Amino acid sequence: MKKVVISGSLKLQKETDRWREYFFRNNYEILDYPKPIEEARFLELYPAVYGNFKTAG
């Protein structure tokens, strides 16, 4: 099975979701991808989400 990490701006969630679906349908293992952050807590949560994504894998 092929593996993939999807990276991109959190503002492009629709595109991220489209690529996640594409890779899932084509039997890729998705190791990580930008996960949505609650807008009201964005500034609070973003540093941890970014740090975790950078070091994943």
Side-chain angles (χ1 to χ4, degrees), residues 21-39:
E21 185 62 32
Y22 169 83
F23 288 125
F24 179 77
R25 283 192 322 264
N26 289 284
N27 298 314
Y28 282 76
E29 179 182 354
I30 302 169
L31 300 175
D32 204 0
Y33 61 94
K35 294 163 186 76
I37 300 175
E38 180 184 342
E39 191 172 332

